[in-house]
Amino acid sequence: MRYQQLPYASDTALLAAISHLQWPALLAGSHKGTSAGRYSIACGQPTRKLEITRPEQKDLLQDLRLADTNTFPPAPVELPFTYGWLGYFSYDAARLLEQLPEIAKDDLSLPWVRLGFYEWSLVSDHQTQTTWLSGFFTDQLAEELQTRLQGGPEIQQGFKLTSDFVSNMKETEYRAKFARVQEYLHAGDCYQINLAQRFSATFEGSVLDAWQQLNSAIPAPFSAFLDYGDQQLLSLSPERFLKCSAAGDVETQPIKGTRPRGRNQKEDLALAENLLKSTKDRAENLMIVDLLRNDLGKVCHAGSIRVPDLFTLESYNYVHHLVSRITGQLKPPYQPLDLLTAAFPGGSITGAPKLRAMEIIEELEPCRRSAYCGSIGYIDFSGRMDFNIAIRTFIATEGNLHLWGGGGLVADSSPEDEYAETLHKVARLLRVLQPDFASGFS
């Protein structure tokens, strides 16, 4: 186990340093006023791969259990990740944990779980302007990475769309599904159900170039770029799913409640105030807080679960969000894997009760969600874990680019408002790649 300081590197430089390696991965964050965007983590060339595509492979998740590794020297500075497992759990990985119907079309064929075991990582601390290489690495690798970091960006240019983004639901279809959701809500099947539509376009050129454009235009605290060769994930998520420290401190930060940013300061403040005072949005948020408190209670010490932040406003460059924070203390002998499976997938993107909401989602959404609403992140050898909720996340596969927008529906939801919210959530992202997007959507 080694640590070596290298020249400070931006996200672009980190990607340039690892993009030639197999399964290059970047977890990046940027959001002023929070600690979430402090670090970027880059790694490549995993020595092991975990890919799960069917329920019979569930036992492979046990590979993510941690051994006793307290004999390694402490890091010279605080680092979120040194070496370990990094990748994603798709929304469909819930089929490893629950019995769900098979109705929606599974047309993207991504593995349910895809993680690499990375023996080293590059971590840039944007607060201290330092970059560290840590883990198990040779002098030759350190020299190669340093050369690439200092050599400047080598990102291939030339991404372009070859068609417009098109939804898998017309507005009339969304309204019909909304009406069906209302029937379930009024019948008492659920208190809240998330409903999403998918936007798809064809493209050619470098997906990495598309990521650079998106990451530059729309900074987010839990962003990620994962390249598996045949498929790429481009996430600009504002939402943390689960974080666990080496000492077992647990945190989750669900988002429920969204408004667009205003065209001027007065309108912007009015929209933010409207969100903060919205009885409906606060009720939705509280439902998910209660759901997550219950999920954490499965693996945390009794009495340790707290809600230090309830209904907090977080503002990004294109939306306002209503965010809460729930904390707890992991109870031995439970590990980060137990925490992840106890709460997966996040309640903020399913509804409540979770299992029944997922059954209804499978019935009403025409296509499986794949990586959307799953989680991207890592489990470090030390017991640290951090995963996002993979919203605002593109999937690139077979020359197609897909992005979803959804929202939680409750009994007093308005179909006009909810449909508009799904557009607010994706329009800014899609316009980075297709500037004229939304001319017939609103």
Side-chain angles (χ1 to χ4, degrees):
M1 181 72 176
R2 303 172 59 190
Y3 302 93
Q4 182 174 329
Q5 188 169 357
L6 298 180
Y8 172 66
S10 65
D11 290 349
T12 299
L14 289 172
L15 272 172
I18 63 166
S19 59
H20 65 296
L21 300 173
Q22 191 177 52
W23 282 24
L26 174 72
L27 304 184
S30 177
H31 184 49
K32 293 180 180 179
T34 74
S35 60
R38 176 175 176 178
Y39 297 100
S40 292
I41 302 166
C43 43
Q45 208 69 42
T47 54
R48 296 168 61 193
K49 297 176 180 178
L50 177 62
E51 294 182 277
I52 297 178
T53 58
R54 57 187 188 276
E56 309 87 79
Q57 296 175 299
K58 178 182 177 179
D59 289 346
L60 293 177
L61 290 177
Q62 300 309 310
D63 289 353
L64 303 180
R65 292 208 171 275
L66 301 168
D68 183 7
T69 53
N70 295 325
T71 57
F72 293 119
V77 294
E78 182 181 353
L79 296 171
F81 180 82
T82 51
Y83 78 93
W85 293 99
L86 187 151
Y88 75 84
F89 284 72
S90 77
Y91 175 84
D92 295 319
R95 295 175 183 278
L96 299 171
L97 310 172
E98 303 284 359
Q99 284 288 117
L100 291 169
E102 298 187 8
I103 302 170
K105 182 166 58 176
D106 184 14
D107 58 348
L108 298 189
S109 301
L110 268 73
W112 292 352
V113 177
R114 208 171 199 181
L115 300 106
F117 187 84
Y118 296 90
E119 292 192 340
W120 56 266
S121 67
L122 286 166
V123 176
S124 283
D125 183 337
H126 303 303
Q127 181 174 302
T128 62
Q129 300 275 287
T130 57
T131 296
W132 286 86
L133 172 62
S134 62
F136 299 91
F137 56 88
T138 63
D139 291 338
Q140 180 181 352
L141 176 63
E143 291 173 8
E144 177 187 333
L145 291 172
Q146 178 161 335
T147 298
R148 293 183 69 89
L149 287 174
Q150 293 176 317
E154 297 179 1
I155 304 300
Q156 179 185 353
Q157 303 298 307
F159 173 89
K160 73 171 184 177
L161 295 177
T162 53
S163 74
D164 291 341
F165 280 97
V166 177
S167 174
N168 65 350
M169 285 188 212
K170 296 178 180 177
E171 184 174 358
T172 53
E173 293 172 318
Y174 180 90
R175 285 175 174 271
K177 294 175 188 298
F178 178 95
R180 185 68 180 130
V181 167
Q182 290 300 311
E183 291 176 8
Y184 281 122
L185 294 171
H186 289 288
D189 276 52
C190 281
Y191 307 108
Q192 182 181 156
I193 300 167
N194 188 283
L195 182 65
Q197 56 178 317
R198 186 179 82 182
F199 301 86
S200 303
T202 58
F203 74 92
E204 61 185 29
S206 169
V207 178
L208 195 51
D209 183 35
W211 159 254
Q212 297 280 63
Q213 295 179 44
L214 290 161
N215 193 39
S216 176
I218 305 175
F222 305 105
S223 298
F225 178 80
L226 307 178
D227 186 352
Y228 296 104
D230 56 340
Q231 295 149 341
Q232 294 81 29
L233 302 186
L234 299 76
S235 183
L236 298 111
S237 174
E239 184 171 357
R240 167 174 279 145
F241 177 33
L242 287 170
K243 180 181 181 181
C244 185
S245 74
D249 299 313
V250 174
E251 179 178 288
T252 179
Q253 294 174 273
I255 290 175
K256 231 8 154 177
T258 302
R259 295 290 186 278
R261 297 300 300 261
R263 290 166 292 185
N264 53 56
Q265 185 177 22
K266 182 179 179 181
E267 183 182 65
D268 193 57
L269 289 173
L271 287 164
E273 190 70 12
N274 175 271
L275 176 59
L276 283 169
K277 292 182 176 179
S278 169
T279 302
K280 169 186 170 294
D281 287 295
R282 290 163 73 93
E284 284 189 48
N285 195 293
L286 188 60
M287 286 183 205
I288 302 307
V289 167
D290 286 342
L291 186 155
L292 283 163
R293 289 175 63 212
N294 181 66
D295 284 346
L296 296 193
K298 300 172 187 175
V299 292
C300 288
H301 282 290
S304 73
I305 298 171
R306 300 282 186 270
V307 185
D309 298 306
L310 189 63
F311 313 145
T312 299
L313 182 74
E314 286 192 4
S315 299
Y316 296 83
N317 63 353
Y318 66 108
V319 288
H320 297 293
H321 282 311
L322 202 62
V323 184
S324 294
R325 182 165 66 99
I326 305 104
T327 61
Q329 181 67 36
L330 197 62
K331 179 171 62 176
Y334 292 122
Q335 293 199 7
L337 174 64
D338 301 305
L339 172 64
L340 186 65
T341 55
F344 190 85
S348 65
I349 45 73
T350 58
K354 187 189 293 185
L355 179 57
R356 183 63 183 126
M358 292 174 68
E359 292 171 347
I360 295 169
I361 289 168
E362 175 72 11
E363 173 194 333
L364 297 180
E365 293 184 7
C367 304
R368 292 269 174 87
R369 291 182 169 187
S370 188
Y372 169 65
C373 289
S375 294
I376 300 170
Y378 63 79
I379 299 177
D380 184 72
F381 84 99
S382 67
R384 293 187 297 266
M385 179 179 79
D386 206 356
F387 277 85
N388 75 4
I389 295 282
I391 54 175
R392 320 292 200 274
T393 297
F394 291 85
I395 298 174
T397 179
E398 298 182 339
N400 294 283
L401 197 61
H402 307 280
L403 178 73
W404 288 253
L409 309 183
V410 292
D412 58 350
S413 291
S414 153
E416 293 83 9
D417 291 345
E418 296 296 344
Y419 183 74
E421 182 175 318
T422 66
L423 297 177
H424 292 322
K425 289 176 176 177
V426 301
R428 180 69 183 89
L429 288 87
L430 296 184
R431 286 186 190 125
V432 173
L433 305 177
Q434 182 190 328
D436 64 347
F437 173 78
S439 58
F441 284 81
S442 57

